[in-house]
Each structure stands twice: as C-alpha cells, then as structure tokens.
Amino acid sequence: MVYIKVNIKLPDTELTEMLIAQLEAIGFDGFEENAGSLLAYIAENNFNEIQLTSLLNQYAVQFTIETVPEQNWNANWEANFSPVVLENFLAIRASFHDAISNVEHEIIITPKMSFGTGHHPTTFLVMQLMQQINFSQKAVFDFGTGTGILAILAEKLGASSVYAVDCDAWSIQNAVENFAMNHTKNCNIQQANNAATDQNFDIILANVNRNIILDNLHYFINCLSPKGLILLSGLLVSDAPEIKNMIQHKSTWQQKAILEKEGWIAFLYEA
C-alpha cells in the first residue's frame, strides 16, 4: 500500500496529542513523534489534502507532504521493535524475541502500528501504577485499549473480567490477536467511540489523551464503583491542572498517586 507522509513542524509540543487525535479522525493511522515535529501517515486512497490543509491551518503550523513508496510497514515496524522490561515485574516482547526470565509476568504481542507497545512513557507509567494495585477478582474497564497490553496485564494480575474498548478497528484487530497469543480467558473487547456503559467497574484504565478523558469523565464517574480506582494517562505535565480541576468539580475522587516520565504523567484516583 502506498502511503502519504506529512511532516508537521511543532514548536509547541503541547499540540501533539490534540493533533494526533484530530488527524486520526480524518484517517491518519501512523504517527512518529520527533523533537520539534510530528510525522503522520495515511493510506494514499484515504488522503484528502483539502481536509488536511484546513485542519493544520487552524494551528498556523508549517508542514510538507510527500508520497512514501510502497513497503511492508509491519515488517519495518517489527524490525525496530525491542522488548520492554519493567524491573522484575513485567516484560513485553514479540514472538520472535527470546523468552525473558526473572520477571513475574511476560506479555507477548504482535507489534503493529497500534498505540500501546509499552515503549511510550504513558503506557509505561500506567503499568508502574498497576504494579501497586490489587487486581484480584476485580472487574476492569480498559478504555482505549490499543494493542490490549493493559487488559492482558490486568488479567495476569488476577482480574475476574476485563472489558476493553477502542474506537479504531485496526487496534481492535491487533488486540484480539494479542489476547489470543496470551491465552486470555477473561478479556472481552468492543469497538466504541466513548465510554458509555451500563456496567460498573472496580478499576478503570484510561490511557488516551486529555480531550478524550475530559469528554468521557462523566461516563467514568457513573461506572466506577464506590472505592474503585481509576488510572488516567496519555497526559502531558501541562495537562495536570485542567484534569485536577475538572475532577475536583465533577467528582469526589481522591488523588492517590501521580507519576511522571519524560514530560508525561499518569494519575491514580480513588472514588
């Protein structure tokens, strides 16, 4: 498949997550964050230059467009995928890597261009927080599951049920593959655009971005059980004041922990 690559100059890195969300909405399905720029990829047959220009002109950013020759994207992705190890707690690797010993849990994934391989600081931060939580016999909601690794980890930590949701069909397909590869029994997945549900959960995992968290906060409040825990990430340090302020005004949640890595943060709240 021939792809279009858009190189966007971003002097303000706070725009990155917002732009990714808006670019995804118009069909872009691959992103690479670099110092001062964002590379965005879209299949040539899905590309609408007028739509892209209208979006980027709102932010007055410079950008270039080029056609990328046809290539095996997943093969390239796999070739550059390295295992992730979180102390002696967790290892995430592909099937073509050797088994990793001396860890409590090991997750095997098929690395594709879905968010959530464990390399991104926000995913890493959520996994660090999960290490501190008792998941035994808990009902878990993984909103924005991506590759499904947080759902898989929740089951490995003892969750009795895991309800995973993502808006992207590609991510759903990848997560289903990863569930099968890790022999999950308690993970169920559904494609949805928001967190609306009539179920209640003991633990919610929401590793998405600021706008999506704020848009779905009322759903989280309604479906989180009393004394339940919610982990919020996909957030920049600069997002913290707005997130804290909104939670304070909309809920009675109590902040239990906050972790930071490379300019990104993750929150742990208790209902």
Side-chain angles (χ1 to χ4, degrees):
M1 182 181 294
V2 176
Y3 265 73
I4 300 295
K5 178 173 74 173
V6 180
N7 188 339
I8 307 165
K9 301 300 181 185
L10 289 179
D12 182 359
T13 57
E14 293 185 9
L15 289 177
T16 303
E17 289 300 304
M18 183 183 299
L19 270 180
I20 288 176
Q22 293 180 318
L23 289 166
E24 283 180 334
I26 61 173
F28 283 80
D29 57 13
F31 302 95
E32 181 181 342
E33 297 178 44
N34 299 309
S37 69
L38 172 69
L39 301 181
Y41 297 87
I42 186 171
E44 186 178 42
N45 57 353
N46 293 332
F47 180 56
N48 183 321
E49 186 170 353
I50 294 175
Q51 197 174 34
L52 172 72
T53 302
S54 176
L55 169 62
L56 296 183
N57 281 348
Q58 297 177 39
Y59 298 98
V61 293
Q62 296 181 330
F63 63 95
T64 58
I65 302 171
E66 64 179 282
T67 300
V68 181
E70 188 167 2
Q71 55 187 287
N72 188 331
W73 288 93
N74 282 335
N76 291 343
W77 190 256
E78 291 178 5
N80 293 293
F81 177 79
S82 57
V84 176
V85 179
L86 176 53
E87 299 170 342
N88 62 348
F89 171 61
L90 173 67
I92 302 167
R93 66 175 177 88
S95 58
F96 50 80
H97 292 134
D98 293 333
I100 299 173
S101 59
N102 301 319
V103 291
E104 295 177 47
H105 306 285
E106 187 177 54
I107 295 175
I108 303 172
I109 68 170
T110 302
K112 294 185 178 179
M113 294 177 72
S114 303
F115 183 81
T117 59
H119 292 84
H120 196 278
T122 60
T123 310
F124 196 87
L125 290 172
V126 173
M127 295 187 298
Q128 282 185 303
L129 288 173
M130 291 175 72
Q131 186 179 5
Q132 306 171 22
I133 295 172
N134 178 13
F135 278 81
S136 180
Q137 297 303 305
K138 299 296 175 61
V140 177
F141 184 14
D142 180 19
F143 181 68
T145 193
T147 56
I149 64 169
L150 298 182
I152 295 167
L153 179 57
E155 178 172 319
K156 287 182 177 291
L157 292 174
S160 58
S161 65
V162 183
Y163 176 51
V165 164
D166 204 285
C167 65
D168 180 61
W170 177 269
S171 293
I172 295 288
Q173 179 184 343
N174 193 194
V176 168
E177 292 176 8
N178 292 332
F179 289 166
M181 190 172 297
N182 290 274
H183 309 291
T184 62
K185 297 179 180 178
N186 303 323
C187 293
N188 297 298
I189 194 164
Q190 180 176 329
Q191 186 171 354
N193 292 319
N194 58 48
T197 175
D198 57 4
Q199 302 180 58
N200 288 320
F201 300 95
D202 302 304
I203 300 171
I204 299 175
L205 311 172
N207 183 26
V208 278
N209 64 45
R210 178 189 62 186
N211 291 338
I212 294 176
I213 287 172
L214 294 175
D215 288 345
N216 287 275
L217 185 58
H218 61 293
Y219 293 127
F220 297 147
I221 292 169
N222 289 337
C223 70
L224 185 60
S225 299
K227 297 298 181 181
L229 300 173
I230 181 166
L231 288 72
L232 302 172
S233 196
L235 300 166
L236 294 164
V237 171
S238 58
D239 295 328
E242 185 174 6
I243 294 294
K244 288 180 177 181
N245 182 62
M246 190 63 68
I247 288 174
Q248 182 178 358
H249 282 82
K250 297 287 187 179
S251 77
T252 58
W253 294 352
Q254 298 297 312
Q255 183 181 312
K256 293 298 181 181
I258 181 171
L259 297 180
E260 179 180 339
K261 180 178 172 67
E262 298 173 15
W264 299 88
I265 54 171
F267 288 104
L268 172 63
Y269 278 91
E270 181 182 67

